[in-house]
Amino acid sequence: MKISQAVGNACTVDASNVETQDSDRATNSKIIYLPGTNCEIKSQALLSAYTSYRVGGAAELYVAPRDVEGLQASLQYAKEHDLRVTTLGAGSNLLVSDRGISGLVIATRHLRYSHFDHQTGRITVAAGESIPSLAWEAAKHGWQGLEWAVGIPGSVGGAVVMNAGAHNSCIADILVSAQVLSPDGTIETLTPEELGYTYRTSLLQGSDRVVTQATLQLQPGFDPAFVTATTRQHKQHRLSTQPYNFPSCGSVFRNPKPYAAGWLIEQSGLKGYQIGGAQVANLHANFIVNRGGAKANDIFSLIRHIQQEVQERWSILLEPEVKMLGEFQAA
């Protein structure tokens, strides 16, 4: 079993007891029920419904556990059937191939809970929780430290894996620890130092471990109205400088210091450039938007075109921030 990146006792899955039924005879899709859990593994689930780009083919198998036990059972099923595992969070920093993904796709979007410890100022939050929603909730409590995250369209788990950030702040600045699940069902708690954080990445990228929850250190005791107003200002800034009127993945490329990727792309004359339904956004050149009817391969081809143009003009190879899953072929 291979895993690519996005407590209680492990549930043992007995393959001989797995029930299978046809849910759609026309597409030959099936549902596999994992005994002892509330998990349903679906076959041929279209991933365009689970990514912010609204593109991508089908997952060979797809499951969205609602608790850690279900997540452990899903990994056990993959292990017993020698399936490659791909983890999927909110799908906001992701480009899934039109050809889909083989193996088992495990979505953590339904791992939801949060606990505010008013004595320590720490939040313990599940991987599937929305980062923007958490930022608003912290503001209502009068806790500072997450205002910058209100415009990041992702989940806590994805933010921990990629060290999400904005406005000169990032997850590594406030993370106390992250709980991760290994393929063998064991759970570890890792510190930021053990996660090896650098700009927009961590040791979890490319790892076979899945984030289940995180503990964040915030600063309580402030006027909720003041923190909410600051959070709203960050949100308004994002809305005024970044395109939210069309589907996108957020920023496409990492900033190659001392330059900003968007500036390099704009200076290369690529604002508004379009391949199929994919377009370099006019509002912010480090965004590629789905203008309608785009294919994943349109977006992929546009990414490659941008890289070529910027490299020819500036001798800089832009590194994608968006994670690409599946097989692609440039136009």
Side-chain angles (χ1 to χ4, degrees), residues 54-86:
R54 298 294 182 258
V55 300
E60 181 182 356
L61 296 170
Y62 172 90
V63 65
R66 296 184 179 274
D67 51 39
V68 174
E69 289 81 6
L71 180 57
Q72 290 170 316
S74 300
L75 287 173
Q76 179 67 17
Y77 178 85
K79 182 178 180 180
E80 291 180 357
H81 293 79
D82 195 27
L83 296 171
R84 181 183 181 87
V85 173
T86 301

Side-chain angles (χ1 to χ4, degrees), residues 288-316:
I288 292 175
V289 294
N290 180 353
R291 295 279 303 186
K295 298 294 185 182
N297 214 63
D298 294 338
I299 299 168
F300 177 79
S301 296
L302 188 50
I303 288 172
R304 289 292 180 258
H305 180 74
I306 292 169
Q307 287 178 310
Q308 292 169 4
E309 292 294 312
V310 171
Q311 188 169 34
E312 286 181 9
R313 177 161 182 169
W314 303 95
S315 297
I316 295 173

Side-chain angles (χ1 to χ4, degrees), residues 125-162:
V125 57
E129 288 286 350
S130 159
I131 281 284
S133 296
L134 189 64
W136 285 118
E137 188 67 22
K140 291 178 183 178
H141 282 79
W143 290 23
Q144 289 187 338
L146 265 177
E147 300 93 321
W148 58 270
V150 69
I152 295 178
S155 65
V156 169
V160 169
V161 170
M162 69 167 290

Side-chain angles (χ1 to χ4, degrees), residues 181-234:
L181 177 64
S182 296
D184 63 3
T186 60
I187 293 175
E188 299 177 85
T189 299
L190 303 177
T191 65
E193 292 74 23
E194 291 171 317
L195 291 171
Y197 277 129
T198 55
Y199 174 68
R200 299 293 181 270
T201 189
S202 75
L203 294 178
L204 290 173
Q205 288 194 330
S207 166
D208 60 359
R209 294 172 291 183
V210 181
V211 175
T212 60
Q213 71 175 34
T215 298
L216 309 176
Q217 179 67 63
L218 300 188
Q219 304 168 43
F222 292 86
D223 180 4
F226 173 76
V227 183
T228 298
T230 304
T231 304
R232 187 175 295 112
Q233 290 174 1
H234 281 287

